[in-house]
């Protein structure tokens, strides 16, 4: 039969804390064939060792120690985010029922009285390490899932940003002047939105997230120009009144295109960006005095995103 060897790095680590050298020797000899063993002969050294690599998977802690007893060590372990999840087993000569009750109520996961039977002690150590392993696996799984969700969100955000730039470039390809105008408008929107965010009247509306959405949506304001005929869009000089009416339709063309994109989605959650982009596209030529287009809106009737 082939003997299976476990690499030391794969062994669980146990920290033994006791001020009596004989007790450290007995527990160390019992556990070393099965685990990595660290020792500490007082409470302060135990706290330091608990934070050092390799971090212990379990701590066997004596109660009656000078300067800092086991209960105080446990209290400090539980108050430290780095060590609070390490399970602790009290091993003590205090064998009254109230001693065990006090130890468990203090946060220990088990209580072994001295003198202990080696086989029983090993079994109870193993019994505490198995749920610790399960908790570690769950924590690692949760951490992986959180990182994966964050990665996917960054990826989706990147796709959205690239899509916006692609659409803006489409408008730029149709009208070179529009390209520079897009970049300038985006910068203006960001500056104005950030400034207004500090105003008492608009601060609740212009959160950091909303400012970001407005800034990212701004490049789509002239996307409707892709629907304007070349002879009108590229005409040098002044447009006739009929041509100007055609030019003005770019606002509604852009809004309609974004609206159709919204309607194509069965899940409407997370589409606030497109609704903002649609408002900007539709109403970015409205004027405060009502002389703008396409709807002649005035004052606060103009959607805030397009104002």
């Amino acid at each position: 039969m082939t003997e299976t060897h476990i690499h030391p790095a794969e062994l669980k680590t146990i920290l033994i804390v006791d001020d009596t050298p004989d007790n450290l020797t007995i527990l160390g000899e019992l556990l070393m064939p099965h685990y990595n063993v660290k020792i500490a002969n007082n409470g302060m050294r135990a706290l330091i060792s608990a934070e050092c690599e390799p971090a212990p998977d379990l701590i066997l802690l004596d109660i009656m120690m000078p300067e800092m007893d086991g209960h105080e060590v446990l209290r400090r372990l539980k108050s430290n985010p780095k060590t609070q999840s390490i399970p602790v087993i009290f091993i003590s000569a205090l064998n009254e029922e109230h001693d065990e009750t006090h130890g468990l109520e203090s946060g220990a996961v088990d209580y072994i009285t001295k003198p202990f039977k080696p086989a029983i002690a090993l079994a109870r150590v193993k019994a505490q390490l198995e749920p610790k392993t399960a908790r570690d696996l769950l924590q690692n799984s949760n951490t992986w899932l959180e990182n994966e969700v964050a990665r996917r969100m960054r990826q989706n955000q990147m796709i959205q940003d690239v899509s916006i730039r692609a659409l803006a470039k489409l408008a730029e390809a149709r009208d070179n002047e529009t390209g520079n105008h897009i970049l300038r408008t985006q910068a203006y929107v960001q500056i104005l939105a950030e400034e207004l965010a500090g105003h008492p009247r608009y601060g609740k509306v212009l959160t950091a997230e909303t400012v970001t959405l407005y800034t990212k949506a701004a490049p789509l304001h002239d996307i409707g120009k892709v629907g304007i005929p070349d002879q009108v869009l590229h005409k040098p000089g002044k447009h006739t009144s009929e041509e100007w009416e055609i030019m003005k339709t770019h606002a509604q063309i852009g809004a309609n295109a974004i609206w159709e994109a919204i309607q194509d989605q069965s899940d409407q959650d997370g589409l606030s960006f497109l609704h903002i982009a649609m408002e900007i596209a539709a109403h970015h030529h409205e004027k405060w005095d009502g002389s703008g287009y396409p709807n002649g809106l005035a004052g606060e009737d103009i959607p805030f995103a397009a104002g």
Side-chain angles (χ1 to χ4, degrees):
M1 180 180 293
T2 303
E3 184 179 356
T4 301
H5 295 279
I6 300 177
H7 192 278
E10 298 175 353
L11 293 175
K12 296 296 183 182
T13 297
I14 296 179
L15 171 62
I16 306 171
V17 187
D18 200 305
D19 64 311
T20 303
D22 287 346
N23 290 337
L24 291 175
T25 299
I26 293 171
L27 284 169
E29 290 179 350
L30 175 65
L31 296 171
M32 278 192 290
H34 312 283
Y35 306 104
N36 288 325
V37 174
K38 301 167 69 174
I39 62 172
N41 60 5
N42 61 54
M44 186 55 66
R45 289 182 178 177
L47 294 174
I48 294 172
S49 183
E51 290 196 55
C52 295
E53 294 296 333
D57 296 288
L58 178 68
I59 298 175
L60 301 182
L61 179 60
D62 186 26
I63 292 179
M64 294 186 296
M65 296 185 294
E67 298 181 11
M68 187 187 302
D69 69 10
H71 289 293
E72 177 61 17
V73 173
L74 179 57
R75 188 190 68 79
R76 296 195 186 191
L77 288 169
K78 293 301 182 184
S79 65
N80 184 346
K82 293 182 180 180
T83 59
Q84 62 185 5
S85 64
I86 303 173
V88 174
I89 297 178
F90 275 137
I91 296 187
S92 176
L94 299 172
N95 57 8
E96 297 294 331
E97 183 178 340
H98 69 271
D99 295 319
E100 183 174 350
T101 300
H102 183 206
L104 295 174
E105 289 177 346
S106 298
V109 296
D110 202 351
Y111 193 102
I112 301 175
T113 58
K114 301 175 184 177
F116 55 83
K117 295 180 180 180
I120 298 299
L122 277 175
R124 292 171 78 170
V125 165
K126 182 180 179 181
Q128 294 303 327
L129 285 173
E130 288 177 347
K132 171 66 163 54
T133 300
R135 288 194 299 271
D136 289 345
L137 289 172
L138 180 61
Q139 178 61 44
N140 291 337
S141 177
N142 288 340
T143 300
W144 182 88
L145 286 173
E146 289 172 2
N147 291 337
E148 181 65 10
V149 168
R151 186 188 70 82
R152 294 288 183 90
M153 290 181 66
R154 289 193 301 271
Q155 186 179 56
N156 289 340
Q157 189 60 63
M158 180 188 69
I159 292 171
Q160 183 187 83
D161 293 345
V162 170
S163 299
I164 294 168
R165 293 306 306 158
L167 289 172
K169 289 292 183 181
L170 179 62
E172 182 179 356
R174 292 277 290 137
D175 185 354
N176 290 331
E177 181 181 350
T178 298
N180 294 327
H181 177 59
I182 284 173
L183 297 178
R184 288 196 303 271
T185 302
Q186 187 174 35
Y188 295 154
V189 167
Q190 182 172 4
I191 293 170
L192 288 171
E194 289 175 349
E195 185 69 23
L196 285 173
H199 192 284
R201 183 174 182 181
Y202 305 110
K204 291 183 179 180
V205 176
L206 288 171
T207 62
E209 180 182 3
T210 303
V211 170
T212 299
L213 289 175
Y214 282 10
T215 302
K216 289 186 175 182
L220 299 180
H221 71 281
D222 267 340
I223 191 65
K225 285 189 175 180
V226 299
I228 302 300
D230 286 349
Q231 64 270 23
V232 176
L233 184 64
H234 298 303
K235 179 183 177 179
K238 188 176 181 179
H239 291 98
T240 65
S241 58
E242 291 80 7
E243 290 168 339
W244 180 237
E245 289 303 317
I246 294 173
M247 274 295 297
K248 290 195 295 184
T249 63
H250 80 274
Q252 196 59 54
I253 291 173
N256 290 344
I258 298 172
W259 175 247
E260 289 178 8
I262 292 173
Q263 296 307 301
D264 287 341
Q265 302 302 312
S266 57
D267 184 358
Q268 294 294 302
D269 290 340
L271 296 183
S272 57
F273 166 78
L274 287 178
H275 284 280
I276 290 172
M278 182 178 66
E279 286 189 347
I280 291 175
H283 301 294
H284 66 283
H285 281 294
E286 304 287 1
K287 295 184 179 181
W288 191 258
D289 63 2
S291 63
Y293 64 88
N295 302 118
L297 301 179
E300 295 186 358
D301 288 337
I302 303 171
F304 189 73

PDB file of all heavy atoms in Angstrom, residues 257-268 271 274:
ATOM      1  N   ALA A 257     -34.444  57.110 -32.181  1.00  0.00           N
ATOM      2  CA  ALA A 257     -33.533  55.969 -32.316  1.00  0.00           C
ATOM      3  C   ALA A 257     -33.205  55.374 -30.947  1.00  0.00           C
ATOM      4  O   ALA A 257     -33.198  54.147 -30.769  1.00  0.00           O
ATOM      5  CB  ALA A 257     -32.256  56.410 -33.024  1.00  0.00           C
ATOM      6  N   ILE A 258     -32.943  56.237 -29.980  1.00  0.00           N
ATOM      7  CA  ILE A 258     -32.636  55.743 -28.633  1.00  0.00           C
ATOM      8  C   ILE A 258     -33.869  55.104 -28.011  1.00  0.00           C
ATOM      9  O   ILE A 258     -33.784  54.074 -27.326  1.00  0.00           O
ATOM     10  CB  ILE A 258     -32.091  56.891 -27.756  1.00  0.00           C
ATOM     11  CG1 ILE A 258     -30.776  57.423 -28.353  1.00  0.00           C
ATOM     12  CG2 ILE A 258     -31.868  56.422 -26.326  1.00  0.00           C
ATOM     13  CD1 ILE A 258     -30.249  58.669 -27.679  1.00  0.00           C
ATOM     14  N   TRP A 259     -35.039  55.703 -28.243  1.00  0.00           N
ATOM     15  CA  TRP A 259     -36.275  55.132 -27.716  1.00  0.00           C
ATOM     16  C   TRP A 259     -36.523  53.730 -28.272  1.00  0.00           C
ATOM     17  O   TRP A 259     -36.932  52.824 -27.531  1.00  0.00           O
ATOM     18  CB  TRP A 259     -37.448  56.046 -28.038  1.00  0.00           C
ATOM     19  CG  TRP A 259     -38.783  55.495 -27.639  1.00  0.00           C
ATOM     20  CD1 TRP A 259     -39.804  55.113 -28.459  1.00  0.00           C
ATOM     21  CD2 TRP A 259     -39.235  55.244 -26.298  1.00  0.00           C
ATOM     22  NE1 TRP A 259     -40.866  54.647 -27.734  1.00  0.00           N
ATOM     23  CE2 TRP A 259     -40.556  54.719 -26.396  1.00  0.00           C
ATOM     24  CE3 TRP A 259     -38.685  55.424 -25.049  1.00  0.00           C
ATOM     25  CZ2 TRP A 259     -41.297  54.369 -25.277  1.00  0.00           C
ATOM     26  CZ3 TRP A 259     -39.421  55.066 -23.930  1.00  0.00           C
ATOM     27  CH2 TRP A 259     -40.712  54.552 -24.051  1.00  0.00           C
ATOM     28  N   GLU A 260     -36.280  53.546 -29.548  1.00  0.00           N
ATOM     29  CA  GLU A 260     -36.460  52.221 -30.137  1.00  0.00           C
ATOM     30  C   GLU A 260     -35.486  51.218 -29.534  1.00  0.00           C
ATOM     31  O   GLU A 260     -35.830  50.049 -29.325  1.00  0.00           O
ATOM     32  CB  GLU A 260     -36.277  52.301 -31.650  1.00  0.00           C
ATOM     33  CG  GLU A 260     -37.421  53.034 -32.350  1.00  0.00           C
ATOM     34  CD  GLU A 260     -37.200  53.151 -33.844  1.00  0.00           C
ATOM     35  OE1 GLU A 260     -36.239  52.522 -34.348  1.00  0.00           O
ATOM     36  OE2 GLU A 260     -37.978  53.865 -34.512  1.00  0.00           O
ATOM     37  N   ALA A 261     -34.259  51.684 -29.239  1.00  0.00           N
ATOM     38  CA  ALA A 261     -33.289  50.793 -28.594  1.00  0.00           C
ATOM     39  C   ALA A 261     -33.775  50.382 -27.214  1.00  0.00           C
ATOM     40  O   ALA A 261     -33.609  49.228 -26.787  1.00  0.00           O
ATOM     41  CB  ALA A 261     -31.935  51.489 -28.497  1.00  0.00           C
ATOM     42  N   ILE A 262     -34.392  51.314 -26.498  1.00  0.00           N
ATOM     43  CA  ILE A 262     -34.931  51.015 -25.163  1.00  0.00           C
ATOM     44  C   ILE A 262     -36.053  49.990 -25.274  1.00  0.00           C
ATOM     45  O   ILE A 262     -36.121  49.028 -24.510  1.00  0.00           O
ATOM     46  CB  ILE A 262     -35.433  52.296 -24.481  1.00  0.00           C
ATOM     47  CG1 ILE A 262     -34.246  53.223 -24.143  1.00  0.00           C
ATOM     48  CG2 ILE A 262     -36.224  51.968 -23.216  1.00  0.00           C
ATOM     49  CD1 ILE A 262     -34.660  54.589 -23.628  1.00  0.00           C
ATOM     50  N   GLN A 263     -36.947  50.182 -26.235  1.00  0.00           N
ATOM     51  CA  GLN A 263     -38.092  49.296 -26.388  1.00  0.00           C
ATOM     52  C   GLN A 263     -37.689  47.892 -26.817  1.00  0.00           C
ATOM     53  O   GLN A 263     -38.425  46.931 -26.588  1.00  0.00           O
ATOM     54  CB  GLN A 263     -39.080  49.877 -27.407  1.00  0.00           C
ATOM     55  CG  GLN A 263     -39.701  51.194 -26.971  1.00  0.00           C
ATOM     56  CD  GLN A 263     -40.331  51.086 -25.594  1.00  0.00           C
ATOM     57  OE1 GLN A 263     -41.222  50.278 -25.369  1.00  0.00           O
ATOM     58  NE2 GLN A 263     -39.860  51.906 -24.662  1.00  0.00           N
ATOM     59  N   ASP A 264     -36.518  47.760 -27.409  1.00  0.00           N
ATOM     60  CA  ASP A 264     -36.051  46.446 -27.835  1.00  0.00           C
ATOM     61  C   ASP A 264     -35.619  45.573 -26.662  1.00  0.00           C
ATOM     62  O   ASP A 264     -35.430  44.362 -26.832  1.00  0.00           O
ATOM     63  CB  ASP A 264     -34.868  46.581 -28.811  1.00  0.00           C
ATOM     64  CG  ASP A 264     -35.316  47.063 -30.183  1.00  0.00           C
ATOM     65  OD1 ASP A 264     -36.521  46.936 -30.480  1.00  0.00           O
ATOM     66  OD2 ASP A 264     -34.467  47.560 -30.943  1.00  0.00           O
ATOM     67  N   GLN A 265     -35.452  46.188 -25.479  1.00  0.00           N
ATOM     68  CA  GLN A 265     -34.978  45.444 -24.314  1.00  0.00           C
ATOM     69  C   GLN A 265     -36.164  44.945 -23.491  1.00  0.00           C
ATOM     70  O   GLN A 265     -37.005  45.736 -23.066  1.00  0.00           O
ATOM     71  CB  GLN A 265     -34.080  46.331 -23.438  1.00  0.00           C
ATOM     72  CG  GLN A 265     -32.872  46.887 -24.165  1.00  0.00           C
ATOM     73  CD  GLN A 265     -31.998  45.787 -24.737  1.00  0.00           C
ATOM     74  OE1 GLN A 265     -31.663  44.819 -24.059  1.00  0.00           O
ATOM     75  NE2 GLN A 265     -31.642  45.922 -26.010  1.00  0.00           N
ATOM     76  N   SER A 266     -36.206  43.633 -23.257  1.00  0.00           N
ATOM     77  CA  SER A 266     -37.282  43.073 -22.441  1.00  0.00           C
ATOM     78  C   SER A 266     -37.098  43.425 -20.969  1.00  0.00           C
ATOM     79  O   SER A 266     -38.063  43.606 -20.234  1.00  0.00           O
ATOM     80  CB  SER A 266     -37.328  41.542 -22.604  1.00  0.00           C
ATOM     81  OG  SER A 266     -36.073  40.968 -22.260  1.00  0.00           O
ATOM     82  N   ASP A 267     -35.836  43.535 -20.536  1.00  0.00           N
ATOM     83  CA  ASP A 267     -35.544  43.913 -19.158  1.00  0.00           C
ATOM     84  C   ASP A 267     -35.195  45.399 -19.137  1.00  0.00           C
ATOM     85  O   ASP A 267     -34.180  45.813 -19.688  1.00  0.00           O
ATOM     86  CB  ASP A 267     -34.375  43.079 -18.632  1.00  0.00           C
ATOM     87  CG  ASP A 267     -34.079  43.349 -17.158  1.00  0.00           C
ATOM     88  OD1 ASP A 267     -34.770  44.207 -16.565  1.00  0.00           O
ATOM     89  OD2 ASP A 267     -33.159  42.704 -16.606  1.00  0.00           O
ATOM     90  N   GLN A 268     -36.045  46.193 -18.503  1.00  0.00           N
ATOM     91  CA  GLN A 268     -35.867  47.641 -18.516  1.00  0.00           C
ATOM     92  C   GLN A 268     -34.985  48.142 -17.375  1.00  0.00           C
ATOM     93  O   GLN A 268     -34.678  49.325 -17.309  1.00  0.00           O
ATOM     94  CB  GLN A 268     -37.238  48.328 -18.428  1.00  0.00           C
ATOM     95  CG  GLN A 268     -38.120  48.085 -19.639  1.00  0.00           C
ATOM     96  CD  GLN A 268     -37.567  48.726 -20.898  1.00  0.00           C
ATOM     97  OE1 GLN A 268     -37.356  49.928 -20.955  1.00  0.00           O
ATOM     98  NE2 GLN A 268     -37.326  47.907 -21.919  1.00  0.00           N
ATOM     99  N   LEU A 271     -31.572  50.853 -17.492  1.00  0.00           N
ATOM    100  CA  LEU A 271     -31.596  51.628 -18.738  1.00  0.00           C
ATOM    101  C   LEU A 271     -31.732  53.126 -18.482  1.00  0.00           C
ATOM    102  O   LEU A 271     -32.088  53.883 -19.381  1.00  0.00           O
ATOM    103  CB  LEU A 271     -32.741  51.144 -19.628  1.00  0.00           C
ATOM    104  CG  LEU A 271     -32.639  49.692 -20.121  1.00  0.00           C
ATOM    105  CD1 LEU A 271     -33.803  49.370 -21.040  1.00  0.00           C
ATOM    106  CD2 LEU A 271     -31.315  49.444 -20.836  1.00  0.00           C
ATOM    107  N   LEU A 274     -29.864  55.312 -20.931  1.00  0.00           N
ATOM    108  CA  LEU A 274     -30.465  55.549 -22.242  1.00  0.00           C
ATOM    109  C   LEU A 274     -31.611  56.549 -22.164  1.00  0.00           C
ATOM    110  O   LEU A 274     -31.820  57.344 -23.083  1.00  0.00           O
ATOM    111  CB  LEU A 274     -30.950  54.233 -22.843  1.00  0.00           C
ATOM    112  CG  LEU A 274     -29.861  53.287 -23.357  1.00  0.00           C
ATOM    113  CD1 LEU A 274     -30.477  52.000 -23.886  1.00  0.00           C
ATOM    114  CD2 LEU A 274     -29.015  53.950 -24.437  1.00  0.00           C
TER     115      LEU A 274
END
